[in-house]
Amino acid sequence: MQSFQSIDATTCAQWIKQGKLTPVEAVKIAIDQVKKYNERFHAVVHLYEEDAIKQAKSLSNLEAPFAGVPILLKDAGHDYAGHPSTSSSQLFKNQIATKNSHYVDQIIKAGFIIIGHTNAPEFALKFVSDSALYGTVPNPVNPKYHAGGSSGGSVAAVQLGMVPIAAASDGGGSIRIPASFSGLVGFKPTRGAMPTGPGSYRSWGGAAIDFALTKSIQDTENFLLAMQLPHQDASAFKVPPLIADDIRNYEDNINDLNIAYTVDPFIDETPSADAVQAVEKTVNYLQNHGFSVTEVHPNINGLKDYLPGYYKMNASEQQKMFQQIKKQRGKAIQPDEVEPLSYLLAIYGEKIPAWEYSEVFDEWDNLANQMQQLHETYDVLIQPATAKAAPSLSEDFYHLEMLPPIETWKDLNKETLGDLIIESLKSGTYYSPYAYIYNLTGQPAISLPVHSTSEGLPIGVMISARQSQDAKILALSKWLENHRLFEYY
């Protein structure tokens, strides 16, 4: 018989409904797993043992799709009333959420029992999870490497069997990057598919979306069906809900999909041999089973055309948060209250005029139009999820030593600050030059665990589709999973 640590959330829910496992047993096993691994992996930063067991004991109605299944939230935007909401920042280390986010409300409505919050980099800004407040999350497959970010605590928790599924979010690849690095399924749905708010209904200008890290495609599908809302008046982005029958229809006619693939770099450095092999392995298998698969060249130069605008958005959002805090407490944030890159972004954001911020969204929309043209011919696009496997814990990405003294940053002009941010973050971009593109366009995209390097590290492939065509991605992903292309760790 399978163990709790190996099953996915759908199976866990079935066991509970069938009486093979009680909610209390599931929660206690999950908590024991957290205690077993957390000292080494720093995956969970807040554990709600007493509260979770109490909820499990009182649960009598098992009709909800995930009734009694333990889950972890991400400590970055997943506000859970009466519990910490720190964004992995020293600045907010004592902050307690006063209300639930609508995403968390829907998690509770789906029947999950929340047992804690997971680790993330400060303000979810990095592609690895290395917050100064809570420590670095090592890779659960090989702890000499990074788990990825910003949903690093979530990916480690699921891969280590703490919970069968973990809540996550993705504003620039923050679900798909750790999924690729750590060997799980990481899906970013179409913009607007998940609950948003309250407070902000277009997080990061619409780039960010909440979802989860999962072990299986059935979990990915069932979580999406359970979490989507028919309509939110306050949401700036509205899409029709996914219908399960649409997925079944594509599954029944899977060989009709017209598939494109690319290993183009999207940056000025080619992807690693492992990233290329992951794509070629997937493409060759599909072609050998009768699929139409064509190589394409989308002509995207992210480093030149889109990263500068993406960081302008990040910086403007960071400065907005700084201003809100200043208004609340009556004094500005000081450099020693946040990590250097967070402060640098905020200083840059202070210098960006409104017209430039607005111009960023024109860039995103034009990119979305370019991708739409590609999908007029092709149903899905396959490419590397990340350009490399996970980096070593000893690798230095951010080159903070190249930055001038922090007390001089406010005196620097906008152009100099922008260049410093690009240079500071560029090495991380070489690991993940692809994922953030789909945050800009709003398209659905998924990372699948199809390949391992010679060192045994996972590296994924990414499948994307046109907006609101999530069903095509899930159907093809299920086919690949059923044909045993996934590698498990």
Side-chain angles (χ1 to χ4, degrees):
M1 181 179 176
Q2 292 176 292
S3 66
F4 170 86
Q5 292 87 342
S6 66
I7 60 174
D8 65 8
T10 300
T11 302
C12 184
Q14 290 170 349
W15 283 11
I16 289 171
K17 294 179 194 302
Q18 294 165 0
K20 296 179 180 179
L21 182 72
T22 69
V24 173
E25 289 169 340
V27 166
K28 285 185 174 180
I29 294 170
I31 290 169
D32 286 345
Q33 286 293 105
V34 172
K35 292 178 178 179
K36 178 179 179 181
Y37 289 109
N38 207 50
E39 184 175 352
R40 184 178 188 188
F41 288 91
H42 316 132
V44 179
V45 295
H46 312 293
L47 186 62
Y48 312 133
E49 181 173 2
E50 184 177 334
D51 188 27
I53 292 174
K54 181 179 178 181
Q55 288 184 43
K57 286 180 177 178
S58 66
L59 183 63
S60 57
N61 187 338
L62 301 180
E63 291 182 5
F66 291 102
V69 177
I71 195 171
L72 287 157
L73 306 177
K74 178 179 176 180
D75 191 12
H78 293 174
D79 281 0
Y80 183 29
H83 298 81
S85 177
T86 74
S87 295
S88 295
S89 177
Q90 183 77 16
L91 183 67
F92 295 139
K93 67 177 182 179
N94 297 317
Q95 180 169 278
I96 302 297
T98 58
K99 61 181 110 175
N100 292 347
S101 73
H102 291 155
Y103 171 78
V104 170
D105 278 337
Q106 197 69 5
I107 278 180
I108 294 169
K109 184 178 178 181
F112 289 106
I113 295 177
I114 298 164
I115 69 165
H117 273 97
T118 60
N119 201 351
E122 186 177 57
F123 307 129
L125 289 172
K126 299 178 185 175
F127 84 108
V128 295
S129 298
D130 62 350
S131 81
L133 181 61
Y134 297 125
T136 295
V137 182
N139 194 301
V141 176
N142 185 334
K144 293 180 181 178
Y145 295 83
H146 279 281
S150 62
S151 304
S154 296
V155 80
V158 176
Q159 190 63 271
L160 293 167
M162 295 178 180
V163 285
I165 189 172
S169 59
D170 192 317
S174 290
I175 289 174
R176 290 159 291 148
I177 294 167
S180 179
F181 286 172
S182 298
L184 290 180
V185 174
F187 183 53
K188 183 197 84 68
T190 292
R191 177 184 293 151
M194 288 289 100
T196 57
S200 175
Y201 288 85
R202 55 180 86 201
S203 181
W204 284 13
I209 189 168
D210 293 317
F211 198 67
L213 280 147
T214 67
K215 294 180 178 180
S216 66
I217 301 303
Q218 72 169 356
D219 269 10
T220 305
E221 176 185 333
N222 291 335
F223 188 80
L224 180 57
L225 293 171
M227 291 296 296
Q228 62 187 356
L229 294 175
H231 192 74
Q232 272 191 294
D233 285 351
S235 176
F237 311 105
K238 297 176 177 66
V239 296
L242 179 73
I243 300 171
D245 285 349
D246 288 342
I247 305 173
R248 303 289 86 79
N249 179 60
Y250 286 122
E251 287 176 346
D252 292 342
N253 300 279
I254 196 70
N255 281 93
D256 292 341
L257 290 180
N258 197 6
I259 300 170
Y261 80 96
T262 186
V263 292
D264 288 0
F266 284 22
I267 203 168
D268 60 353
E269 182 177 288
T270 56
S272 68
D274 286 304
V276 173
Q277 287 169 17
V279 171
E280 290 177 344
K281 171 183 177 180
T282 307
V283 166
N284 290 339
Y285 193 87
L286 289 167
Q287 289 175 330
N288 290 337
H289 285 77
F291 287 86
S292 171
V293 188
T294 305
E295 185 172 13
V296 296
H297 303 283
N299 191 28
I300 292 174
N301 186 334
L303 188 62
K304 173 179 174 288
D305 296 330
Y306 301 109
L307 268 178
Y310 180 72
Y311 290 137
K312 284 179 184 178
M313 176 278 295
N314 279 150
S316 300
E317 293 289 317
Q318 191 75 0
Q319 179 59 220
K320 180 184 79 170
M321 184 190 72
F322 275 34
Q323 292 294 336
Q324 290 170 337
I325 294 167
K326 179 181 178 181
K327 185 177 180 180
Q328 290 168 4
R329 70 180 195 175
K331 65 175 182 177
I333 293 172
Q334 299 304 306
D336 61 354
E337 293 184 282
V338 295
E339 295 178 27
L341 284 175
S342 302
Y343 192 74
L344 180 62
L345 276 167
I347 297 302
Y348 181 41
E350 195 172 24
K351 313 233 174 173
I352 296 169
W355 70 266
E356 279 193 28
Y357 187 58
S358 177
E359 191 176 55
V360 168
F361 300 109
D362 292 337
E363 294 173 359
W364 294 11
D365 295 343
N366 284 318
L367 177 60
N369 182 65
Q370 178 182 341
M371 297 306 289
Q372 178 182 337
Q373 300 309 308
L374 185 146
H375 287 294
E376 295 289 350
T377 302
Y378 302 103
D379 293 293
V380 297
L381 173 66
I382 299 174
Q383 64 189 129
T386 52
K388 305 177 188 180
S392 165
L393 291 179
S394 63
E395 185 171 344
D396 177 21
F397 318 106
Y398 301 114
H399 308 297
L400 298 179
E401 74 284 349
M402 62 166 273
L403 297 175
I406 198 167
E407 60 270 14
T408 69
W409 291 357
K410 287 193 174 185
D411 298 326
L412 300 176
N413 63 37
K414 172 171 61 82
E415 288 71 26
T416 300
L417 286 165
D419 289 343
L420 284 173
I421 286 168
I422 291 286
E423 289 304 312
S424 297
L425 298 173
K426 189 195 300 186
S427 60
T429 306
Y430 287 129
Y431 275 91
S432 180
Y434 304 107
Y436 78 97
I437 292 293
Y438 301 97
N439 297 87
L440 312 190
T441 63
Q443 294 171 251
I446 195 167
S447 177
L448 302 176
V450 302
H451 189 65
S452 296
T453 70
S454 58
E455 293 83 17
L457 290 172
I459 188 166
V461 296
M462 184 163 60
I463 304 176
S464 57
R466 192 173 175 177
Q467 288 185 24
S468 298
Q469 296 295 309
D470 306 50
K472 292 180 179 179
I473 293 176
L474 295 175
L476 183 59
S477 299
K478 185 66 174 178
W479 188 92
L480 293 169
E481 182 184 41
N482 286 344
H483 283 73
R484 303 185 185 279
L485 257 72
F486 288 12
E487 298 197 7
Y488 299 97
Y489 302 89

